[in-house]
Amino acid sequence: MSVLVIAEHDNATIKKATLSTVTAASKIGGDVHVLVAGKGCQSAADAAAKIAGVSKVLMADAPHYNHELAENIAPLVVKLASGYGHVLTPATTMGKNFMPRVAALLDVAQISEIIAVESADTFVRPIYAGNVFVNVQSKDAIKVITVRATSFDAAAAEGGSAAVESVEITPAAGLSEYLSQELTKSDRPELTSARVVIAGGRALGSSENFKLLDDLADKLGAAVGATRAAVDAGYVPNDYQIGQTGKVIAPELYVGIGLSGAIQHLAGMKDSKVIVCINKDEEAPIFQVSDYGLVGDLFTVVPELTKAL
Amino acid sequence: MKVLVAVKRVVDYNVNVRAKTDGTGADIANVKMSMNPFDEVAVEEAVRLKEAGKVSEIVAVSMGVSACQDTIRTALAMGADRGILVESDTELQSLAVAKLLKALVDKEAPGLVLLGKQAIDDDSNQTAQMLAALLGWAQGTFISKLELGDGKATVIREVDGGLETDSLTMPTVISVDLRLNEPRFVKLPNIMKAKKKPLEVIKPDALGVDTSPRLVYSNYREPPARKAGIKVPDVATLVDKLKNEAKVI
């Protein structure tokens, strides 16, 4: 049986989380096919065809597949799924939105946010904010799965030469309409794929003070993230949030500044390769997971660190 | 318009859950249980809609063991009008919960169903989307703003890149994110009043739903531990360690 991966893309390029999902699909075994559904998505489909390990690309190009509205995408995936043993997509807000809809329409369970493949029917996933790992075995004929991208290496974006095949368009559901989006503009790397991440907590105290982190991030070519407390306080936009209910990151270097390390935040960053924290409270739980901890006032330490780099 | 709000009884967010040493489950005997924090936001939103005169009745629904009645009572104390518990001593997985909710929606005919975007115990983030699929309704997930119009709901969704605004045909299923509102503290007189509000207890069989689990969980375990780190005395040492020991900068 083949594995179908639903790509996350912007009609022109393939998002990196898709490459990690292809790797997860390869671990299951069988041919890996990729579905690119969008509007004017030929370039994205061509890019998907070049991913190493992909043997076929299915392209569904129609206006109502733009912006991945779940009500329109799910019937397409359901229609294609009958030919596959597994359907996978990244556990991004796109995948989390439409994939359970696919599972319910297929009358199968969804296995959310897997971090490892044990066998063709058994997967590992974190529960309780990552405090417990568990094996999950599915007895359903089609396994519907979302994949935590940071737990799988990205497949090579080049090297494959799959055929691109257009598939039949399913009708628009007519239930929902995309109106607009307000994307956070940034010249920095994307939080989930950045090599270095600087994260700030409530102790930053204001959005102005977050600029301290920007200066440090500029030196390191880093992305800037935050705790829920800092987002709730309005210091930074929602897409900065790292944690159990925000983004999950696993950079080479994570620097946590003025944050205590609540379990909900740790759930989103404790797979980082090297963890550094700067906090004036030496009892803060973040020190327990840090490779290097510096006890000190962030308002003196951070500028000093920026200068030293 | 009637609103259905789903509330789940979960381990309190302050509890650091561990796996049982024999790997058969999570060790949650005698830990504090609370309403799932996302569901509190859903209840709060329903109550605010009622206070704004846009909603006539709020039905709070929970599923699971008898103690879930406490969770429903909390919703009633926040301002829900009546409760329904679908009582089951066996595990109810997301798909089964979605099917039971669909059966209740068929019975109660609400114009809006509000749920938390995920439960903080299994972190699945599925039930709202599954319910919308089974009903053939539009879904608005991870929302931080909800506006009800004439036959349409406008929602702002928290997505990876920022915020997205969608228009949904009513009736609709909404899954709420934390920044939609700040749930109220429940006052003592309201807790007393909640005790007198109606709470119906029914069994899954009565709704004609097969709730057999589809997923088998095993080998519960602790995640691999990180090796202990060190405290560095100053910025110079930190930079040196990052350059020469960790080699990450």
Side-chain angles (χ1 to χ4, degrees):
Chain A
M1 276 295 237
S2 307
V3 179
L4 179 64
V5 171
I6 321 301
E8 176 155 11
H9 62 87
D10 60 8
N11 292 316
T13 59
I14 296 290
K15 296 281 175 72
K16 197 180 162 216
T18 306
L19 303 177
S20 303
T21 307
V22 167
T23 300
S26 308
K27 286 179 191 284
I28 291 168
D31 287 349
V32 178
H33 297 175
V34 174
L35 169 66
V36 176
K39 177 191 173 193
C41 56
Q42 182 73 51
S43 305
D46 291 342
K50 291 186 187 136
I51 302 171
V54 172
S55 61
K56 186 157 69 168
V57 173
L58 308 177
M59 183 176 77
D61 194 339
H64 60 275
Y65 295 142
N66 209 13
H67 307 297
E68 294 109 4
L69 288 170
E71 297 82 354
N72 294 342
I73 295 282
L76 171 69
V77 178
V78 168
K79 191 170 163 219
L80 296 170
S82 57
Y84 295 90
H86 300 75
V87 183
L88 275 63
T89 202
T92 53
T93 50
M94 176 207 74
K96 288 173 178 176
N97 184 41
F98 80 83
M99 203 60 150
R101 201 167 173 109
V102 170
L105 292 173
L106 290 170
D107 193 26
V108 301
Q110 173 179 295
I111 307 161
S112 293
E113 220 157 341
I114 64 162
I115 56 170
V117 175
E118 292 284 301
S119 70
D121 71 356
T122 305
F123 309 89
V124 183
R125 61 179 306 261
I127 53 175
Y128 292 103
N131 284 311
V132 177
F133 285 180
V134 67
N135 284 10
V136 187
Q137 184 184 25
S138 168
K139 305 212 161 146
D140 288 319
I142 302 174
K143 276 85 174 153
V144 170
I145 295 167
T146 63
V147 175
R148 179 173 287 189
T150 52
S151 298
F152 296 89
D153 293 335
E158 300 282 337
S161 56
V164 178
E165 190 181 288
S166 283
V167 295
E168 207 182 314
I169 305 301
T170 48
L175 291 169
S176 55
E177 192 189 346
Y178 164 92
L179 296 180
S180 65
Q181 62 187 4
E182 194 182 306
L183 299 186
T184 306
K185 287 192 179 57
S186 172
D187 298 331
R188 298 182 198 290
E190 200 207 341
L191 192 52
T192 51
S193 54
R195 200 187 71 83
V196 180
V197 171
I198 312 293
R202 201 193 328 239
L204 266 297
S206 70
S207 45
E208 289 71 39
N209 289 342
F210 253 83
K211 294 202 173 65
L212 280 177
L213 305 196
D214 289 341
D215 297 340
L216 178 57
D218 286 342
K219 277 281 181 77
L220 291 167
V224 177
T227 63
R228 179 194 159 195
V231 176
D232 280 359
Y235 303 163
V236 285
N238 64 282
D239 51 293
Y240 277 50
Q241 188 181 325
I242 298 164
Q244 181 185 16
T245 65
K247 286 178 182 162
V248 176
I249 60 166
E252 295 282 315
L253 172 61
Y254 163 97
V255 185
I257 296 171
L259 55 87
S260 66
I263 52 175
Q264 290 80 9
H265 181 70
L266 299 184
M269 48 58 73
K270 65 184 174 189
D271 288 336
S272 306
K273 306 281 184 308
V274 175
I275 298 176
V276 171
C277 72
I278 298 167
N279 198 307
K280 65 180 173 188
D281 173 16
E282 61 178 318
E283 301 296 319
I286 188 73
F287 282 99
Q288 289 162 23
V289 299
S290 294
D291 299 284
Y292 305 107
L294 179 52
V295 181
D297 183 352
L298 73 94
F299 294 103
T300 53
V301 171
V302 173
E304 204 185 320
L305 178 59
T306 306
K307 220 172 134 194
L309 290 168
Chain B
M1 183 180 69
K2 191 194 281 186
V3 175
L4 206 86
V5 189
V7 294
K8 186 176 184 183
R9 178 177 178 266
V10 298
V11 172
D12 187 81
Y13 76 100
N14 279 313
V15 176
N16 203 341
V17 175
R18 296 187 176 278
K20 287 183 188 167
T21 46
D22 65 1
T24 57
D27 190 1
I28 53 168
N30 305 318
V31 303
K32 186 183 175 197
M33 305 295 284
S34 299
M35 186 189 294
N36 181 42
F38 290 90
D39 302 347
E40 281 185 55
V41 175
V43 174
E44 176 66 33
E45 194 65 13
V47 175
R48 289 185 190 189
L49 287 170
K50 193 178 173 197
E51 286 167 350
K54 291 180 176 162
V55 159
S56 52
E57 189 188 24
I58 303 167
V59 183
V61 177
S62 191
M63 296 179 187
V65 296
S66 176
C68 297
Q69 289 194 31
D70 298 344
T71 315
I72 294 176
R73 291 288 173 205
T74 305
L76 296 175
M78 287 175 74
D81 297 293
R82 61 187 170 92
I84 303 173
L85 170 63
V86 181
E87 193 180 80
S88 168
D89 289 328
T90 54
E91 184 202 356
L92 296 173
Q93 296 181 349
S94 303
L95 183 62
V97 170
K99 288 179 178 179
L100 290 167
L101 283 170
K102 179 188 183 287
L104 288 176
V105 168
D106 289 344
K107 218 168 112 178
E108 296 281 343
L112 178 69
V113 183
L114 291 168
L115 305 89
K117 80 163 177 180
Q118 78 190 59
I120 61 164
D121 48 6
D122 63 22
D123 285 330
S124 285
N125 192 336
Q126 302 176 348
T127 306
Q129 298 90 315
M130 287 181 158
L131 174 62
L134 297 174
L135 289 165
W137 290 6
Q139 66 184 52
T141 53
F142 331 139
I143 70 137
S144 60
K145 193 163 184 212
L146 171 65
E147 265 174 40
L148 301 182
D150 195 16
K152 300 266 182 193
T154 306
V155 294
I156 297 183
R157 305 180 51 229
E158 295 202 349
V159 295
D160 287 335
L163 299 170
E164 177 180 307
T165 307
D166 292 342
S167 170
L168 311 173
T169 302
M170 303 269 286
T172 181
V173 177
I174 300 288
S175 93
V176 306
D177 219 316
L178 294 169
R179 277 168 287 274
L180 178 61
N181 61 49
E182 198 162 323
R184 66 196 61 196
F185 286 104
V186 179
K187 296 194 188 88
L188 188 62
N190 291 340
I191 295 174
M192 303 312 287
K193 250 195 277 175
K195 287 184 180 162
K196 296 196 184 97
K197 290 184 179 176
L199 198 170
E200 181 190 358
V201 179
I202 51 177
K203 299 282 182 191
D205 291 352
L207 295 170
V209 174
D210 173 12
T211 59
S212 341
R214 304 293 189 86
L215 301 175
V216 180
Y217 292 84
S218 64
N219 192 13
Y220 289 74
R221 57 200 184 269
E222 312 274 312
R226 288 188 74 93
K227 66 168 178 58
I230 55 163
K231 286 208 173 96
V232 291
D234 50 39
V235 166
T237 316
L238 177 60
V239 173
D240 175 63
K241 293 281 186 194
L242 291 176
K243 274 190 179 148
N244 301 316
E245 192 174 85
K247 296 184 174 36
V248 285
I249 58 170

